[in-house]
Amino acid sequence: MAKEFTVPPVVFPSGGNPGTGLQQRRLPTAPFQPPRSANLPFMSFDVGSATASSSFSAPVFGGNTVGIGGTGFEEELPLLEELGINTRQIWRKTVSIMNPFRVNANLHEDSDLSGPFLFLMAFGLFQLLAGKLHFGILLGWVTVAALFLYVVFNMLAGRNGNLDLYRCLSLLGYCMFPMVILSAFSLFIPQGGMGIFIVTAIFVLWSTRVCTRLLVELASCGDEHRGLIAYACFLIYMLFSLLVIF
């Protein structure tokens, strides 16, 4: 005789039958979101809050401060003074050379090469207008002439000579100003005539007198050998005048 087993009833959590329970689907849960932090806005997924709480600020271009030092544009030195070019000093030296009988040697104690370079470029420009390209020749001749005058003066002065090459080149270049005027006048004077030779002799004597006086007054032991120094200066400026004549 077989035993009968009692099967307990199956109770579903939803309270329905098995057919309806299989049709139900579980709702998707929200994805994991990290906790928002007030100190780190870039960790937040909220774009609006990250933009509002960002610690980066745009640079401010207003104000009187410039750069790290905090100096304004008004306190900046001019470009020519930063390069060591004093236009007022160059003008004063040029004006002093224009009068060969009253040359102020005190203005030429501070030597510079800005004025001589300007005069050489002006001389070469006037020669270029005359159809002569002499820029390289001018720079070479000025260098050789300064070395020649420096050696001659120190040989005459001996151990007591205090003329350095930098000052010699500065004085020689500033005294080229009459040669620049001669180069400008030669554009309007007929070449090959007697007038060009007379005008050239006047400007050569002008440059020779000015250069000799500056060398004698600014360098020691030059007064005793004034004639020989003048002869050396005459040869130098006569050489430059030949570029104008021929």
Side-chain angles (χ1 to χ4, degrees), residues 27 85 97 127 158-159 190 203 227 237 240:
L27 297 176
I85 302 174
I97 292 174
Q127 290 295 294
R159 297 181 179 179
F203 282 102
Y237 292 109
F240 283 104

Side-chain angles (χ1 to χ4, degrees), residues 198-210:
I198 296 175
V199 174
T200 301
I202 294 174
F203 282 102
V204 168
L205 293 176
W206 181 3
S207 296
T208 302
R209 178 178 174 80
V210 174

Side-chain angles (χ1 to χ4, degrees), residues 25-185:
R25 298 291 186 269
R26 299 181 61 183
L27 297 176
T29 58
F32 173 75
Q33 296 182 358
R36 299 179 181 179
S37 177
N39 297 327
L40 300 177
F42 58 85
M43 293 294 294
S44 175
F45 290 91
D46 192 357
V47 180
S49 62
T51 307
S53 62
S54 177
S55 59
F56 297 98
S57 60
V60 180
F61 295 97
N64 296 326
T65 58
V66 179
I68 301 176
T71 59
F73 285 107
E74 298 179 355
E75 300 179 2
E76 292 287 337
L77 294 175
L79 180 60
L80 294 178
E81 293 186 6
E82 291 183 357
L83 296 176
I85 302 174
N86 192 348
T87 54
R88 294 182 180 179
Q89 186 179 11
I90 295 174
W91 173 252
R92 291 174 182 175
K93 291 181 179 180
T94 305
V95 172
S96 66
I97 292 174
M98 292 180 66
N99 189 358
F101 301 101
R102 293 182 180 180
V103 182
N104 190 0
N106 297 326
L107 296 176
H108 295 269
E109 290 183 356
D110 298 331
S111 302
D112 67 281
L113 297 181
S114 303
F117 182 78
L118 180 63
F119 292 152
L120 287 177
M121 291 297 103
F123 186 87
L125 179 61
F126 287 123
Q127 290 295 294
L128 184 62
L129 293 177
K132 305 173 185 178
L133 187 60
H134 290 156
F135 288 101
I137 298 175
L138 289 175
L139 295 177
W141 281 13
V142 166
T143 305
V144 174
L147 290 173
F148 169 73
L149 191 60
Y150 169 75
V151 172
V152 169
F153 187 90
N154 287 294
M155 289 179 63
L156 294 174
R159 297 181 179 179
N160 298 324
N162 60 347
L163 179 65
D164 55 346
L165 185 59
Y166 185 78
R167 174 173 290 184
C168 183
L169 187 59
S170 176
L171 296 178
L172 190 65
Y174 271 106
C175 295
M176 282 287 297
F177 180 67
M179 295 290 101
V180 176
I181 301 177
L182 174 63
S183 180
F185 283 173

Side-chain angles (χ1 to χ4, degrees), residues 11-29:
V11 181
F12 295 95
S14 59
N17 52 14
T20 59
L22 294 175
Q23 296 177 357
Q24 292 181 354
R25 298 291 186 269
R26 299 181 61 183
L27 297 176
T29 58

Side-chain angles (χ1 to χ4, degrees), residues 216-237:
V216 170
E217 293 186 5
L218 294 178
S220 60
C221 301
D223 198 7
E224 301 176 357
H225 310 283
R226 183 186 293 267
L228 294 176
I229 297 174
Y231 179 68
C233 295
F234 177 78
L235 292 178
I236 292 173
Y237 292 109

